[in-house]
């Protein structure tokens, strides 16, 4: 069987990760084109996977050799390229967030719905992480009872970005936890509130208004609550821990290295340096599942609707954090394409 031709838009950190997974770990696909406005970066990644260099991202999508597209360009361009992929009838894996505004995400949903076929998979890769997937399996088995609460701890190494505003933390980082809350609880968000902790005046090397921590409370339909924390300035590395508190039992994703060491009054276990190594297995599972679905002309996993819901909740959280209030979300009916 011939290999799926994949075009990669964006040769930054995630574009490179995906391009190498396809070139080195997935036999049923190959990278045929890579684009990036930075010529050196584009050349380096294209050469390393034996693909052609393309300067205009829209030419990647229209290239007849490209049968499926990976969108890993800057966030503000995601929606445009996702819509172009839909119009070209090509499955795409679009990095999160689907868009930078809920309106732009809605436009992707509308384009896809008009075509009547799911072609957009959003890169919420935690659905493909063994720990998160096992929590869903446990929940569905009934062993946890009713879901009472979900907790998500998300820690990025400092300096994630010295000028990071609460809005950026919410829309670029906490957006993962928002999606996790929806799929771990299994219901929609109905209201939100949020608080942030700034670095404080005069902190060295950080911009005015930068925050180091955001905590959010999501009220979910059905009565459960989701408590999400993002720390963008840890001094020790990267962690993500998810927990479901159930009426009968509580379960949490495990962390740490394969071994633990006891030494001089301490127990030591490894901490990942950053997300590409922490979630390396999840990225491989995600990309493999996407390639398999794309070979059949479709996609799997988080949908454009999920991307849109996450953007809506993120906007509500940005408003709640700025006002210090509680912001309610509208109840939307799920379009037919995304039901079931
Ligand atoms: C960051 O914004 C990302 O893009 C990664 O997907 C995520 O895992 C990380 O924690 C975020 O801060």
């Amino acid at each position: 069987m011939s290999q799926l031709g994949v075009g990669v838009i964006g040769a930054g950190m995630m574009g490179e990760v995906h391009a190498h997974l396809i070139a080195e770990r997935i036999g049923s696909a190959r990278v045929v084109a890579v684009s990036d406005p930075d010529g050196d970066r584009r050349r380096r990644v294209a050469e390393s996977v034996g693909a052609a260099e393309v300067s205009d991202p829209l030419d990647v999508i229209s290239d007849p050799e490209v049968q499926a597209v990976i969108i890993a360009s800057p966030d503000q361009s995601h929606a445009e390229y996702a819509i172009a992929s839909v119009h070209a009838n090509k499955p795409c894996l679009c990095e999160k967030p689907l868009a930078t505004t809920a309106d732009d995400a809605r436009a992707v949903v509308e384009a896809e719905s008009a075509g009547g076929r799911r072609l957009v998979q959003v890169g919420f890769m935690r659905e493909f992480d063994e720990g998160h997937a096992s929590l869903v399996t446990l929940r569905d088995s009934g062993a946890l009872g009713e879901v009472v609460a979900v907790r998500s701890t998300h820690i990025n190494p400092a300096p994630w970005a010295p000028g990071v505003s609460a809005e950026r933390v919410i829309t670029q980082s906490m957006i993962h936890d928002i999606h996790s809350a929806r799929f771990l609880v299994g219901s929609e968000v109905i209201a939100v509130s949020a608080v942030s902790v700034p670095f404080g005046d005069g902190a060295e090397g950080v911009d005015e208004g930068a925050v180091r921590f955001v905590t959010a409370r999501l009220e979910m339909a059905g009565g459960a609550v989701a408590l999400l924390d993002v720390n963008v300035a840890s001094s020790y590395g990267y962690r993500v821990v998810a927990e479901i508190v159930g009426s009968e039992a509580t379960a949490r994703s495990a962390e740490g290295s394969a071994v633990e060491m006891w030494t001089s009054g301490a127990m030591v276990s490894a901490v990942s340096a950053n997300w590409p190594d922490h979630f390396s297995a999840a990225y491989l599972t995600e990309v493999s599942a996407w390639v398999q679905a794309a070979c059949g002309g479709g996609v799997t996993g988080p949908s454009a609707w999920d991307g849109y819901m996450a953007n809506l909740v993120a906007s509500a959280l940005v408003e709640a954090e700025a006002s210090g209030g509680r912001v309610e979300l509208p109840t939307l009916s799920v379009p037919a394409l995304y039901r079931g």
Side-chain angles (χ1 to χ4, degrees):
M1 208 187 94
S2 67
Q3 290 176 303
L4 181 84
V6 174
V8 177
I9 298 178
M13 191 202 255
M14 286 320 303
E16 188 167 9
V17 166
H18 292 316
H20 280 275
L21 284 176
I22 289 179
E24 290 151 24
R25 306 289 301 275
I26 299 178
S28 52
R30 66 194 176 104
V31 184
V32 294
V34 173
S35 83
D36 194 285
D38 178 328
D40 290 341
R41 203 154 72 170
R42 182 175 69 222
R43 188 161 320 112
R44 190 174 51 77
V45 175
E47 276 174 7
S48 69
V49 295
E53 274 185 65
V54 180
S55 44
D56 185 340
L58 294 174
D59 290 341
V60 170
I61 298 173
S62 61
D63 183 339
E65 273 205 65
V66 170
Q67 293 154 306
V69 183
I70 290 185
I71 302 169
S73 48
D75 295 355
Q76 61 277 12
S77 61
H78 289 180
E80 179 193 348
Y81 300 143
I83 291 173
S85 300
V86 167
H87 288 157
N89 253 319
K90 298 186 181 178
C92 69
L93 172 60
C94 179
E95 262 308 325
K96 46 58 59 179
L98 176 59
T100 45
T101 67
D103 283 349
D104 285 354
R106 177 91 213 183
V108 180
V109 163
E110 277 161 13
E112 202 180 35
S113 294
R117 203 172 130 209
R118 278 199 50 202
L119 287 165
V120 180
Q121 179 173 333
V122 179
F124 287 128
M125 78 299 172
R126 290 186 192 173
E127 279 199 33
F128 298 93
D129 169 63
E130 205 187 336
H132 287 74
S134 303
L135 286 175
V136 174
T137 306
L138 258 182
R139 178 200 70 196
D140 291 347
S141 74
L144 304 179
E146 293 299 313
V147 178
V148 175
V150 157
R151 280 205 187 93
S152 171
T153 306
H154 181 172
I155 292 166
N156 280 237
W160 184 65
V164 67
S165 61
E167 176 171 2
R168 274 193 62 199
V169 175
I170 292 166
T171 56
Q172 296 187 342
S173 204
M174 189 178 267
I175 198 135
H176 278 295
D177 307 283
I178 294 169
H179 181 65
S180 299
R182 291 180 62 246
F183 81 81
L184 291 176
V185 175
S187 72
E188 292 299 345
V189 181
I190 56 174
V192 300
S193 49
V195 173
S196 66
V197 179
F199 275 94
D201 290 345
E204 218 177 299
V206 291
D207 295 348
E208 208 187 315
V211 301
R212 57 185 314 142
F213 196 93
V214 178
T215 182
R217 191 183 66 166
L218 275 45
E219 297 167 44
M220 312 296 293
V225 67
L227 306 165
L228 319 178
D229 289 346
V230 179
N231 173 357
V232 286
S234 91
S235 53
Y236 54 82
Y238 186 89
R239 290 172 63 215
V240 168
V241 185
E243 178 175 305
I244 297 181
V245 179
S247 56
E248 304 301 322
T250 290
R252 189 168 69 185
S253 58
E255 54 174 337
S257 48
V259 288
E260 292 164 344
M261 179 174 75
W262 285 264
T263 174
S264 308
M267 193 271 275
V268 187
S269 175
V271 175
S272 309
N274 216 334
W275 70 84
D277 53 317
H278 184 94
F279 282 116
S280 59
Y283 282 120
L284 177 58
T285 310
E286 175 195 46
V287 174
S288 306
W290 175 71
V291 166
Q292 202 184 349
C295 286
V299 285
T300 185
S303 66
W305 181 257
D306 292 319
Y308 171 48
M309 287 292 108
N311 270 122
L312 266 185
V313 177
S315 308
L317 276 170
V318 170
E319 188 187 331
E321 192 278 335
S323 67
R326 174 178 177 273
V327 175
E328 293 188 2
L329 281 116
T331 308
L332 304 178
S333 76
V334 184
L337 187 60
Y338 307 101
R339 275 184 231 141

